Amino acid sequence: MNPMQKALRAYGEVLRLVRLLPKDTRPYYAKYARENFVNYREVDANDSAAIDELLLRTYSHSLWVLNKYSVDEAAATKLKLVCTTH
């Protein structure tokens, strides 16, 4: 899977996780996720180290939010696979 495909899959998984959050928080986190993915679109797709770092941050930030709202971390299993496999 190329870096752009990984980023799009990660974004999709993050949006799926947002649906598990309390209803009143979903718009905020969906917007936050979109803004972050848009902000990093300038990262060189050939810089695998930078892409890997961003994907790991995506995963760790997602876990933080899930824990904040007491959502089981197991919900992020697919995101972990996208973000941590090369």
Side-chain angles (χ1 to χ4, degrees):
M1 179 178 336
N2 74 41
M4 181 57 75
Q5 289 172 318
K6 282 181 83 165
L8 290 173
R9 279 207 49 210
Y11 179 60
E13 290 301 326
V14 167
L15 292 180
R16 284 183 195 86
L17 293 174
V18 166
R19 291 187 221 142
L20 301 176
L21 301 175
K23 193 172 186 176
D24 61 327
T25 66
R26 292 176 196 165
Y28 170 79
Y29 284 105
K31 182 179 178 190
Y32 179 80
R34 174 160 173 62
E35 288 173 353
N36 274 283
F37 277 90
V38 167
N39 286 339
Y40 291 109
R41 71 176 170 231
E42 301 299 323
V43 171
D44 182 1
N46 296 314
D47 186 351
S48 60
I51 300 291
D52 288 345
E53 180 184 333
L54 288 172
L55 289 170
L56 285 175
R57 273 199 281 174
T58 298
Y59 178 65
S60 65
H61 288 173
S62 296
L63 289 183
W64 185 88
V65 172
L66 292 175
N67 285 324
K68 178 179 179 181
Y69 292 101
S70 302
V71 176
D72 187 358
E73 284 185 13
T77 301
K78 287 183 183 177
L79 179 62
K80 182 179 182 179
L81 291 173
V82 172
C83 293
T84 59
T85 56
H86 300 283

